[in-house]
Amino acid sequence: QVQLQESGPGLVKPSQTLSLTCTVSGGSITANYAYWSWIRQPPGKGLEWMGTIAYSGTTFYNPSLKSRTSISRDTSKNQFTLQLRSVSPEDRAVYYCAGGNGLTMSTISKADKYTYRGQGTQVTVSS
């Protein structure tokens, strides 16, 4: 059974870089056709896809966040990481990592297409 667990700071200061790690167990992040994503949900709003790293290492980003977002992976640890630069209070949200198989360019941005999701981690941006 695939399980995902987010880790990282719950509080970040404005203008700093948020870094979150997702540890995957029960499956390999390099398994064929596996896609691994970061999704967030600001208070009172819907889910927002931030970006994806594919089994091949190829990355895809939400155009609205692309200039501030990087997703990377450590295959030796079976982890993938989100970095969000220049955070502001508007980046306050619950951040989820998610995984799925066989996704396409039209579905990687849809949160309900992911089979697996972590429990989420609350991130607040405040000085």
Side-chain angles (χ1 to χ4, degrees), residues 18-93:
L18 168 66
S19 183
L20 296 175
T21 296
C22 183
T23 300
V24 179
S25 59
S28 173
I29 62 172
T30 60
N32 281 343
Y33 310 114
Y35 294 82
W36 308 95
S37 296
W38 288 97
I39 297 166
R40 69 180 182 178
Q41 186 167 28
K45 298 185 178 180
L47 294 168
E48 178 182 33
W49 171 72
M50 301 182 70
T52 298
I53 186 163
Y55 61 99
S56 60
T58 302
T59 52
F60 309 88
Y61 296 107
N62 184 326
S64 68
L65 297 170
K66 185 175 182 179
S67 64
R68 299 196 292 130
T69 306
S70 297
I71 297 176
S72 60
R73 66 182 184 176
D74 185 334
T75 57
S76 68
K77 296 180 179 179
N78 215 37
Q79 296 175 332
F80 61 104
T81 298
L82 168 73
Q83 287 197 318
L84 181 65
R85 296 176 289 275
S86 303
V87 299
S88 72
E90 286 68 38
D91 293 309
R92 177 191 176 200

